[in-house]
Amino acid sequence: MSKFRLGLVGAGKIVRDQHLGAIAAIPGLVLEAVADPHASLEGVASYASLEAMLDARPEIDAVAICTPASLRHELARLALSRGKAVLLEKPPGATLAETEDLKAYAEAQGAVLFAAWHSRFAPGIASAREWLAGRTVHAVSIRWHEDVRVWHPGQAWLWQAGGMGVFDPGINALSILTEVLEQPFFLKAAELDVPANSQTPIAARLDFRTAEGAEVQADFDFRHEDPPHWEMRIDTTSGVLELERGGARLLIDGQSVVDEPEREYQGVYGHFHSLLERGESDMDITPLRHVADALMLGHRRGVEAFLD
């Protein structure tokens, strides 16, 4: 197995909760350094900026960018210009224009670029995609509810322009659906609840239609008390598929087919390692397109201030 030296950009909650353990679990990846102006990681060489990290550690092969989305475009372009492969936490950018630019720039540089939709690596997703292949879908319903104070404490950037609000977790559901459905789907209507002290929605209800006319309804809400509900039901001509716990559990006609512990980020980094070995990119931005459509088409409904 080839060895690749990795640098992290950002040392926040998602890095500590998910990225560090996942990197350590992949034998072909070695964490060399971290860049963050406000935090460091114990036992890891730390730098105040990505530029400083790359200047000091030119041997780094790839960087994983785990900052708020509004910062990712500039950082990714810098890393790509230095010949580094780049993993982008989801969403891969704050806008479609930024992500399209990164995709084109990476191609021009001949560099590896990976939009890491971590929920696609949940244990039940591959089996769900395989079971749905060739089946006709009649309807899809999604419930993605969680408590923002539990899962995103102190992350004020979520509520600023470009922070995505409830679409930060909701885009995970869209990344799963775009992975498992064979046919595309399109937004027809959306209602967004925006608190008086926020620029982004705290809840959203979305109505889509597939190319063959099946209804897809999604309900995202940040005001749900723990435990979270990350659930999806897909009705077909020959049975019902359900995903629970964000895809860690898969049921077919009520019978459990996959029920395993969550290990999404280990899958993310395993896939990144395989992309590095092959010198290939994986830059699907379809989930972000659906969020952009919702923000453009959605009816905004003001609700009372929720955040402290």
Side-chain angles (χ1 to χ4, degrees), residues 161-181:
M164 296 185 71
V166 76
F167 287 112
D168 185 76
I171 203 171
N172 293 332
L174 297 174
S175 75
I176 290 173
L177 194 60
T178 52
E179 177 75 1
V180 301
L181 284 192

Side-chain angles (χ1 to χ4, degrees), residues 124-125 128 144 176 180 230-234 241-251:
I125 303 307
W144 228 255
I176 290 173
V180 301
W230 299 318
E231 302 164 347
M232 184 179 302
R233 174 186 170 115
I234 303 177
L241 180 148
E242 294 173 278
L243 289 166
E244 298 179 350
R245 304 201 321 268
R249 187 177 191 217
L250 168 65
L251 300 96

Side-chain angles (χ1 to χ4, degrees), residues 88-195:
L88 295 163
E89 245 291 0
K90 61 85 187 168
T95 68
L96 290 171
E98 287 184 351
T99 52
E100 290 283 10
D101 176 71
L102 289 179
K103 192 173 182 179
Y105 189 64
E107 289 175 359
Q109 296 289 112
V112 171
L113 183 63
F114 175 33
W117 302 108
H118 62 82
S119 290
R120 290 179 172 178
F121 296 90
I125 303 307
S127 295
R129 182 177 63 250
E130 182 180 352
W131 187 85
L132 286 167
R135 286 180 164 85
T136 300
V137 172
H138 286 319
V140 179
S141 61
I142 298 169
R143 180 171 65 155
W144 228 255
H145 292 184
E146 64 184 60
D147 187 338
V148 66
R149 290 185 169 126
V150 171
W151 294 91
H152 301 272
Q155 295 180 352
W157 55 268
L158 276 172
W159 309 109
Q160 300 165 4
M164 296 185 71
V166 76
F167 287 112
D168 185 76
I171 203 171
N172 293 332
L174 297 174
S175 75
I176 290 173
L177 194 60
T178 52
E179 177 75 1
V180 301
L181 284 192
E182 290 185 315
Q183 57 184 286
F185 53 94
F186 310 95
L187 187 71
K188 300 302 179 182
E191 185 176 59
L192 314 178
D193 291 349
V194 182

Side-chain angles (χ1 to χ4, degrees), residues 144-145 148 158-159 164-168 189-206 218-224 294-295 297-307:
W144 228 255
H145 292 184
V148 66
L158 276 172
W159 309 109
M164 296 185 71
V166 76
F167 287 112
D168 185 76
E191 185 176 59
L192 314 178
D193 291 349
V194 182
N197 58 344
S198 173
Q199 298 179 63
T200 57
I202 198 164
R205 292 160 297 282
L206 312 176
D219 184 359
F220 305 152
D221 204 317
F222 251 160
R223 300 166 296 192
H224 179 82
L295 293 173
L297 185 63
H299 168 69
R300 289 178 172 249
R301 185 172 73 103
V303 297
E304 65 181 77
F306 177 82
L307 306 168

Side-chain angles (χ1 to χ4, degrees), residues 15 18 30 57 60 62 70 93 125 135 139-140 157 169 173 182 194-195 207 215 228 236 240-241 252-253 277 286:
V15 166
Q18 298 285 359
V30 179
R57 309 297 289 266
I60 286 174
S70 60
I125 303 307
R135 286 180 164 85
V140 179
W157 55 268
E182 290 185 315
V194 182
D207 290 323
E215 294 187 356
T236 78
V240 177
L241 180 148
I252 304 295
D253 294 330
E277 285 195 311
T286 309

